[in-house]
Amino acid sequence: MRRDTWVRVGALAVCVLVSAALGGWQGWRNATVEPPAPPSVCPLIRPEVFDLLVPAHGALRTAEQNGPGLRSNYCLTESASTKAGARAHLWVSIGRYGRHEGRGPRCVDRDGLLTVLNNENHAVALGDRAVYFIAGDRETGRRINLSACFGTYGVLVQYEATDAADTAMVASATAVAQEVLSWL
């Protein structure tokens, strides 16, 4: 073979190898890897915690909320209405992350999970990272949203109550998240 033929064959081989490497990397980067299911969240919280935070609560309700690269389930309970209008609501979700759209399975790497717009986030010493914000007013009900990450798990707690002090709500939501994280 002539020398220019060898150069063409070599150049073609390099192009094929570079294209295969880039295509493989892009495919791996954008692949969705579904994670294993997280444990059911209701049994991870002691019944007395539900009784304390949501007095006269109804039955615990559960459901799954899955998406690409995420498997999760939640537990919800609400207090029965009272004549005085006092009420409480507790929603707890546990999610397990996999790989999706170039993002790895670590919870702290997820966009928006630990950042909330239009509210001030406050850090909590829990898991790999945790933040909360409080919204609403005391008369109609204050609501705390707490997000905590631990490895590939994300725990979300939404607790709403009337006539509750902010410090008590923070302590309550943190205790619920800690209760869930202690099982992981």
Side-chain angles (χ1 to χ4, degrees):
M1 270 196 204
R2 296 186 332 190
R3 180 182 169 144
D4 61 331
T5 304
W6 281 108
V7 170
R8 286 186 202 157
V9 169
L12 180 61
V14 167
C15 288
V16 168
L17 289 173
V18 168
S19 294
L22 287 174
W25 176 77
Q26 191 69 5
W28 172 82
R29 185 178 168 271
N30 291 329
T32 295
V33 178
E34 298 299 335
S40 182
V41 72
C42 286
L44 303 181
I45 304 167
R46 291 175 290 150
E48 47 274 15
V49 172
F50 287 115
D51 295 341
L52 179 65
L53 297 181
V54 188
H57 65 81
L60 300 177
R61 294 180 290 189
T62 63
E64 288 185 9
Q65 293 180 305
N66 299 323
L70 170 66
R71 294 187 68 188
S72 69
N73 64 78
Y74 69 83
C75 182
L76 168 68
T77 190
E78 297 174 292
S79 61
S81 296
T82 65
K83 290 182 181 181
R87 60 181 166 63
H89 166 105
L90 178 63
W91 179 86
V92 184
S93 173
I94 184 170
R96 184 109 188 245
Y97 294 95
R99 180 172 297 285
H100 181 63
E101 293 183 344
R103 292 175 290 178
R106 287 179 3 123
C107 175
V108 294
D109 296 337
R110 294 300 166 142
D111 297 334
L113 185 67
L114 296 170
T115 305
V116 179
L117 301 176
N118 299 327
N119 283 300
E120 184 178 346
N121 287 330
H122 305 276
V124 178
L126 193 60
D128 294 334
R129 184 165 174 230
V131 297
Y132 73 89
F133 72 89
I134 297 178
D137 63 49
R138 272 187 189 73
E139 309 257 331
T140 60
R142 297 285 275 167
R143 184 184 77 243
I144 182 170
N145 286 5
L146 185 139
S147 303
C149 285
F150 182 67
T152 61
Y153 291 96
V155 175
L156 305 174
V157 177
Q158 185 181 78
Y159 180 53
E160 185 175 337
T162 54
D163 296 325
D166 289 353
T167 54
M169 293 194 66
V170 171
S172 298
T174 302
V176 170
Q178 193 169 22
E179 186 107 351
V180 173
L181 290 172
S182 71
W183 288 97
L184 305 179

